[in-house]
Amino acid sequence: MALLQISEPGQSPLPHERRRAAGIDLGTTNSLIATVRDGHVQVLADAEGRILLPSVVRFHADGTTTVGQAAAEAEVLDPLNTIASVKRLMGRGHGEIGASPYELSHTDEGPVRLRTVAGDKTPVEVSAHILRTLKARAEGNLGGELGGVVITVPAYFDEPQRQATKDAARLAGLTVLRLLNEPTAAAVAYGLDRNPEGLYCVYDLGGGTFDVSLLRLSQGVFEVLATGGDALLGGDDMDAAVVCHWVAEGARATSPSETRQLLRVARQARERLSAETETAIDVPGVYQGSLTRATLEGLIDPLIERTLIPCRRVLKDAGVKVADIHEVVLVGGATRTPHVRARIEGFFRKAPLHDIDPDQVVAVGAARQADLLIGNAGAADMLLLDVIPLSLGLEIMGGLVEKIIPRNSPIPASRAQEFTTYKDGQTALAVHVVQGERDLVSDCRSLARFSLRGIPPMVAGAARIRVTFRVDADGLLSVTARELTQGIESEITVKPSFGLSDADIERMLGDSIIHASDDALVRALREQQVEADRMIEAVEAAMADGADLLRDKERTAIEGQIALLKSVKAGTDPQVIRAAIASLDQASADFAARRMDAGLQKAMTGRSVTEFS
Amino acid sequence: MARNYFELFGLPVRFDIDREELARRHRELIRTWHPDRFAQGSSQERRLAVEMSADLNDGVKVLRDPIDRARYVLKLNGVSTDEETDTVMNPAFLQDQMVWRERLEESQGDARVVDDLVAEVAALRARKEEALGRALAQEAGAGFTDARQLVRELQFLRRFADELDEAQAGVS
């Protein structure tokens, strides 16, 4: 598919060319996978017919793992080796998490590591096990390998949490077409079904996170206007509040396994109270009693109140009033609780929609988007425009934050800001990238640090350093710093200090060859071969179509690189192919950019003003 | 910035633009150039699509906002508003600012005082924005000096309006 040769909306590939794609809701409590078949979304079940895969992984001493229901059943039995709600730990450093039911390995740097009988495990590795299980389920169901997936993340996930999710997918051998925000996915699921234009508010209270997003659907474009939430608030907190209440009433949990048992019983009681008004609680030797719906409502009310703060902020950020909202959509198991629904209805003065199962709605939307991105869903000419959830900025003098890209900016986004030196003769500049809304660096999330060196010595304030932030459609950031008088450049794709390094991932991929049948090297080779084919096809098509924009010398160079790439492509070393792709990319980048600008002008000049007005 | 935002949207370089038309053109272009349209393309295409979409998103933001747009028109004409370095402002303007701030501080959360301030600031901003439009519409850049000053004052007023907004949120 060459640039400027975009297939017209409505043109879908022939049926036999349909590629396998799936949407994955990687949840705190449960995960699920869905796909589009004959135009309908199907949420895929395991051999026992179960749709929800509990997001629980149990590690065994022999290096094997159990995932899902069987692992969840072992939670009480083997609490330290059975990891649940790992999503809460994604992209987090040690200092950033509070009390944990697991044993943490003590390292000052890098991501949180959980100590298990099978060794230390990062949250990325744990999540990869969940993703592998879903991948196997889909591939068994669809009868072949998945071409790509869309994975959903809470809209409020920050950069390291998004990066960690992408790393987990890579580790599981999945090609990520896009990270999609959960509320956006839910809105897609509803919007495409009914297609009324207008403002949607998505209220998503899951097991571990709360998200609220405001979207506008108009002429097939889904535009996120504002998003907010609380990354550490969810149904789990309701369970914890119930357990605290029981402890105050005399329940005595003396071991991690008893605490876990109480939490499970609390969740079950909460679910039962959606239909009943009182339920008996019996945890032998720990607690016996009953829980009424009224008591539960009193316990969870402060938590629901907390969800309304981001709701107000999102309305304010988007400059929208409650009365302007067309529909309120509910997502997440915790929204089944009648009291949650009642409070939402009270706040929005409108009965919320919940006719798509709140546990499935996110996966349904993700499957639609995956089908579209892989090139199957020609009919649905829909575009999603997302925003970044938290402001991105730089540390400036005095430990203050200078915001470069404010929260709720549409992505992709790019913003540059100029800085200068503050000392005479200063030759280096330390760049500290942070994310958050507060004014002090110490109150924000530190994402990365790097240095721009080799600035020519000048008097203070004479150097001009441009720092450029670029955020892609997945919400991932890269930062470039450039000294403008001399052109010295330094670039970093943000890999947060508690993220995994590429070396970590390579090592884990290596490990997975030993422990699983997944052959990482073969996959890496195939990925590079596919990329090489795409690149050759795109450049050749561009050269045929845009010969007038091509300089003779450039043509010779590009043709040379194409020939080289074609010859190494058949080889077995992914690194060599990658290098040849990079060379062709470099040789053709200017030409591709010129074609893009020419295409833009053509798009604008071909139209008379009346077409736009 | 490599691309001129006005050219990006096929609009003439002038302050007075049709915002609805701008929104329409942005929507049309982003539909074509969004990276999702290149999910199956080469990495080079995806990278260029990210850059193009980022420019479109940044461009529409700058051109949609009157202050940002005025600042951009001035910049394209070689006039910098120097808000970082040049802090000299019209004394009468500063005097008004100080009086307003005192009133806000002394309001002690009295909603009526804050509401009055909001109305006064909104009215002044509207007048200054009109003046800005007139200044930038003058032939051969004759109004650039006035426009520069107005942009700086409007930026001040915007910040103060944001503070009032917070104060209003606090009292309600």
Side-chain angles (χ1 to χ4, degrees), chain A residues 21 66 179 206 215 261 292 345 366 437 504 513 521 567 577:
Chain A
T66 316
L179 294 180
L215 299 96
Q261 198 181 355
T292 65
E345 190 168 343
E437 306 314 315
D504 279 339
I513 300 173
L521 256 182
S567 71
I577 305 176

Side-chain angles (χ1 to χ4, degrees), chain B:
Chain B
M1 285 298 122
R3 292 189 182 94
N4 173 320
Y5 291 148
F6 285 100
E7 285 172 12
L8 191 63
F9 293 102
L11 296 167
V13 182
R14 58 164 198 253
F15 179 73
D16 183 23
I17 61 166
D18 179 343
R19 289 184 18 151
E20 274 180 37
E21 187 173 315
L22 172 70
R24 250 190 314 273
R25 291 188 181 203
H26 174 260
R27 176 162 301 195
E28 195 128 332
L29 290 168
I30 201 85
R31 242 182 212 284
T32 309
W33 301 103
H34 193 278
D36 280 0
R37 296 294 193 214
F38 301 92
Q40 297 299 304
S42 71
S43 55
Q44 185 183 62
E45 288 173 309
R46 291 199 302 272
R47 193 185 64 232
L48 288 168
V50 168
E51 285 172 14
M52 178 67 97
S53 306
D55 281 356
L56 289 169
N57 284 335
D58 199 27
V60 78
K61 183 178 188 294
V62 167
L63 297 190
R64 197 167 42 201
D65 179 83
I67 306 178
D68 291 345
R69 185 169 69 244
R71 196 184 284 126
Y72 190 66
V73 169
L74 289 170
K75 190 179 145 197
L76 290 177
N77 284 288
V79 179
S80 167
T81 46
D82 299 318
E83 277 141 305
E84 303 292 315
T85 46
D86 178 4
T87 50
V88 182
M89 298 290 286
N90 177 351
F93 179 79
L94 285 180
Q95 180 64 33
D96 286 349
Q97 292 277 308
M98 274 159 62
V99 172
W100 274 339
R101 273 169 205 281
E102 274 168 25
R103 274 170 62 194
L104 177 61
E105 272 165 37
E106 285 162 12
S107 73
Q108 303 281 351
D110 181 343
R112 274 176 315 181
V113 178
V114 180
D115 288 349
D116 283 351
L117 277 171
V118 168
E120 280 176 48
V121 172
L124 183 63
R125 285 176 80 184
R127 281 202 304 278
K128 296 243 180 224
E129 266 178 36
E130 263 174 53
L132 179 61
R134 283 195 304 273
L136 286 171
Q138 285 186 41
E139 295 287 318
F144 282 169
T145 315
D146 286 349
R148 178 176 179 274
Q149 196 56 34
L150 285 163
V151 165
R152 292 154 55 85
E153 292 180 0
L154 277 163
Q155 182 65 33
F156 250 81
L157 291 173
R158 171 150 71 186
R159 276 202 210 108
F160 187 56
D162 286 346
E163 282 174 44
L164 287 174
D165 220 30
E166 306 241 316
Q168 247 181 344
V171 291
S172 61

Side-chain angles (χ1 to χ4, degrees), chain A residues 306-323:
Chain A
R306 260 173 73 192
T307 67
L308 299 180
I309 301 166
C311 289
R312 284 188 199 101
R313 204 185 69 185
V314 160
L315 289 172
K316 184 166 174 280
D317 278 357
V320 165
K321 291 185 197 67
V322 162

Side-chain angles (χ1 to χ4, degrees), chain A residues 136-167:
Chain A
R137 180 189 290 187
E139 291 180 348
N141 221 298
L142 297 172
E145 204 180 341
L146 279 176
V149 295
V150 167
I151 301 181
T152 58
V153 291
Y156 213 56
F157 252 23
D158 62 22
E159 152 85 26
Q161 292 169 308
R162 281 165 199 267
Q163 189 65 58
T165 306
K166 234 182 164 178
D167 288 347

Side-chain angles (χ1 to χ4, degrees), chain A residues 374-457:
Chain A
I374 203 119
N376 288 338
D381 178 33
M382 176 199 63
L383 183 66
L384 292 183
L385 300 179
D386 238 315
V387 298
I388 59 161
L390 298 161
S391 302
L392 291 162
L394 284 177
E395 173 168 357
I396 54 168
M397 291 294 289
L400 295 174
V401 178
E402 170 90 6
K403 284 180 186 159
I404 308 286
I405 303 187
R407 74 163 185 263
N408 291 325
S409 295
I411 51 175
S414 165
R415 209 65 54 77
Q417 190 113 329
E418 280 184 25
F419 293 88
T420 188
T421 47
Y422 62 92
K423 268 193 223 152
D424 287 341
Q426 185 178 345
T427 58
L429 179 85
V431 178
H432 183 197
V433 184
V434 297
Q435 186 165 32
E437 306 314 315
R438 309 281 294 277
D439 292 331
L440 289 178
V441 167
S442 52
D443 294 331
C444 288
R445 187 102 206 263
S446 168
L447 292 186
R449 294 172 186 273
F450 69 104
S451 297
L452 178 69
R453 296 181 188 286
I455 301 170

